[in-house]
């Protein structure tokens, strides 16, 4: 199996430039010998600072969103080309907070994924069910629909440049995690969907799927031991250098 584990921090709306300097300066030596790929997805305003601090290290740079248009009259938005110029490699797309609070839909997720890939960015595409959907027995249906929509019109050659993050909404920032077995089972559903969309071999060998939702130093090892879980998308625990480094080195 050639799926290299990938642990990414999603800082959300946290960290000024000064705080970014402090956190990443502390993080760099702690993860220097990590086996997993390490990514920090930071606010737009911290990208330049982050880029200069992690230069030459094994930490890769990510953003938290990207607009689908190349340029134009979209006040407040940021294009893929702008991110690439700053040295950004990964970009989170379709986070549940964007879907919940900012009108993100399956269709706009797909448009953003296409724009990111066209510019050479690697999307981290988020999918996941709400508590209500889970309780109604709709988890599989929701993640399958979201996955199919996100990859609509995306060619097979792009598969190894994308990462999927399964984030059950009820587990985000709540301290509740899906059990490792539950997370693994839903991620298997996503992998099977990718097998159906592309091919069984690429889904098995090339599609990396993270778990996200209250992942921390205590539960990372058990989650990462699951056969289908290839990494984590970490919110709260990515804001402390020691905690994040411990997840990275699960
Ligand atoms: P928490 O790790 O804070 O639950 O956040 C998860 C998340 O939303 C990562 O994108």
């Amino acid at each position: 199996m050639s799926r290299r584990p990938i642990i990414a921090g999603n800082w959300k709306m946290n960290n000024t430039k000064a705080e970014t300097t402090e956190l990443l300066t502390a993080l760099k030596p702690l993860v220097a010998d990590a086996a997993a790929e390490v990514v920090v997805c930071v606010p737009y305003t911290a990208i330049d600072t982050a880029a200069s601090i992690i230069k030459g290290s094994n930490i890769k740079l990510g953003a938290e969103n990207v607009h689908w248009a190349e340029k134009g009259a979209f006040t407040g938005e940021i294009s893929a080309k702008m991110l690439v110029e700053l040295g950004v490699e990964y970009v989170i797309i379709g986070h549940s907070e964007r879907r919940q609070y900012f009108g993100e839909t399956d269709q706009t997720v797909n448009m953003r994924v296409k724009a990111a890939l066209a510019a050479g960015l690697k999307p981290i595409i988020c999918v996941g069910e709400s508590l209500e959907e889970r309780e109604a027995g709709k988890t599989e249906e929701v993640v399958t629909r979201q996955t199919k929509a996100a990859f609509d019109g995306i060619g097979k050659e792009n598969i190894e440049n994308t990462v999927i993050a399964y984030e059950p909404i009820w587990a985000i920032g709540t301290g509740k995690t899906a059990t490792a077995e539950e997370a693994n089972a839903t991620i298997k559903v996503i992998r099977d969907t990718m097998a159906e969309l592309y091919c069984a071999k690429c889904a098995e060998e090339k599609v990396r799927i993270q778990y996200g939702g209250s992942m921390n130093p205590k539960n990372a090892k058990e989650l990462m031991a699951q056969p289908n879980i290839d990494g984590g998308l970490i919110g709260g625990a990515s804001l402390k250098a020691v905690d994040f480094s411990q997840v990275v080195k699960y």
Side-chain angles (χ1 to χ4, degrees):
M1 251 196 316
S2 52
R3 298 183 336 239
R4 184 177 179 207
I6 175 167
I7 307 287
N10 173 11
W11 287 6
K12 308 191 179 183
M13 197 172 73
N14 292 290
N15 292 329
T16 61
K17 281 155 70 80
E19 288 160 345
T20 297
T21 303
E22 195 181 332
L23 176 51
L24 291 178
T25 304
L27 183 66
K28 248 193 327 187
L30 296 177
V31 299
D33 59 347
E37 191 172 350
V38 187
V39 183
V40 289
C41 299
V42 309
Y44 295 134
T45 47
I47 289 176
D48 224 4
T49 305
S52 70
I53 293 172
I54 63 182
K55 197 170 180 201
S57 79
N58 60 329
I59 304 175
K60 294 177 175 172
L61 187 57
E64 300 178 17
N65 195 12
V66 63
H67 196 261
W68 54 81
E70 276 182 33
K71 59 178 175 177
F74 301 101
T75 303
E77 294 298 320
I78 299 286
S79 75
K81 194 173 165 187
M82 294 169 182
L83 297 177
V84 169
E85 187 186 39
L86 295 175
V88 171
E89 182 174 340
Y90 284 92
V91 61
I92 297 171
I93 295 176
H95 191 278
S96 60
E97 287 149 17
R98 303 283 334 158
R99 295 182 193 252
Q100 247 181 315
Y101 309 134
F102 301 101
E104 191 77 72
T105 65
D106 285 347
Q107 196 199 354
T108 54
V109 168
N110 177 246
M111 289 158 74
R112 292 181 205 274
V113 171
K114 284 179 176 154
L117 287 168
L121 292 169
K122 298 174 182 168
I124 299 176
I125 302 165
C126 301
V127 300
E129 82 286 2
S130 65
L131 184 59
E132 199 184 4
E133 288 163 336
R134 183 173 198 87
E135 286 173 349
K138 290 189 176 158
T139 299
E140 295 194 6
E141 180 188 324
V142 170
V143 299
T144 302
R145 186 202 76 223
Q146 290 175 331
T147 304
K148 285 186 174 169
F151 284 89
D152 186 40
I154 307 292
K156 189 169 154 182
E157 69 283 1
N158 286 306
I159 291 316
E160 55 200 313
N161 295 323
T162 61
V163 174
I164 301 170
Y166 167 57
E167 300 205 307
I169 297 171
W170 48 273
I172 295 177
T174 57
K176 281 192 212 165
T177 10
T179 66
E181 291 75 21
E182 281 171 333
N184 187 65
T186 307
I187 287 177
K188 173 78 166 57
V189 170
I190 298 167
R191 194 175 304 287
D192 290 346
T193 304
M194 292 300 281
E196 187 191 316
L197 291 176
Y198 297 96
C199 74
K201 191 165 182 278
C202 11
E204 187 56 34
E205 292 176 0
K206 296 187 173 162
V207 176
R208 291 189 294 174
I209 309 177
Q210 300 171 314
Y211 168 77
S214 299
M215 194 162 162
N216 60 46
K218 288 205 178 81
N219 58 28
K221 186 174 178 185
E222 194 194 353
L223 286 159
M224 290 303 293
Q226 295 293 321
N228 276 292
I229 301 183
D230 303 322
L233 187 56
I234 321 299
S238 73
L239 300 175
K240 290 192 182 136
V242 171
D243 286 7
F244 187 57
S245 73
Q246 287 173 351
V247 176
V248 165
K249 295 184 177 176
Y250 61 89

